[in-house]
Amino acid sequence: MSITPLNVTIHDTADLGAQLRAHRERLRLTQATAAALSGVSTRLWSECETGKRTHVAFETVIRMLNTVGIDLAVTSRRHAIAE
């Protein structure tokens, strides 16, 4: 199954959760399966998708993103924050 690459800006945990859910559903994975593949609990996966879990180790988030085929990229904003 091929997923069209998207460039999405994530501003908060709700945005991250929405992407996790969308990609998981496109892959036809249950939350339990995605969680198991990521090495996290189903509860943690569910709470991340709904934005209820706001503090998750960065390494854990990376594993979850990798499970559903999302690459994390860092870009600079077009405007600089005033010093």
Side-chain angles (χ1 to χ4, degrees):
M1 169 186 280
S2 176
I3 296 177
T4 304
L6 300 173
N7 290 319
V8 177
T9 301
I10 294 175
H11 296 283
D12 54 31
T13 55
D15 292 345
L16 176 65
Q19 289 304 308
L20 282 172
R21 173 173 281 167
H23 283 263
R24 175 184 59 76
E25 289 176 346
R26 283 189 195 116
L27 293 171
R28 297 185 179 150
L29 296 174
T30 64
Q31 286 183 337
T33 300
L37 291 170
S38 298
V40 301
S41 69
T42 303
R43 179 178 178 175
L44 177 108
W45 189 281
S46 174
E47 289 177 353
C48 286
E49 278 193 6
T50 60
K52 291 179 184 175
R53 182 71 69 102
T54 58
H55 293 85
V56 179
F58 187 70
E59 172 125 353
T60 301
V61 172
I62 296 298
R63 281 197 328 264
M64 294 170 74
L65 293 172
N66 285 335
T67 296
V68 294
I70 298 174
D71 292 325
L72 181 66
V74 178
T75 58
S76 60
R77 293 183 179 161
R78 293 193 175 136
H79 62 281
I81 298 174
E83 294 182 21

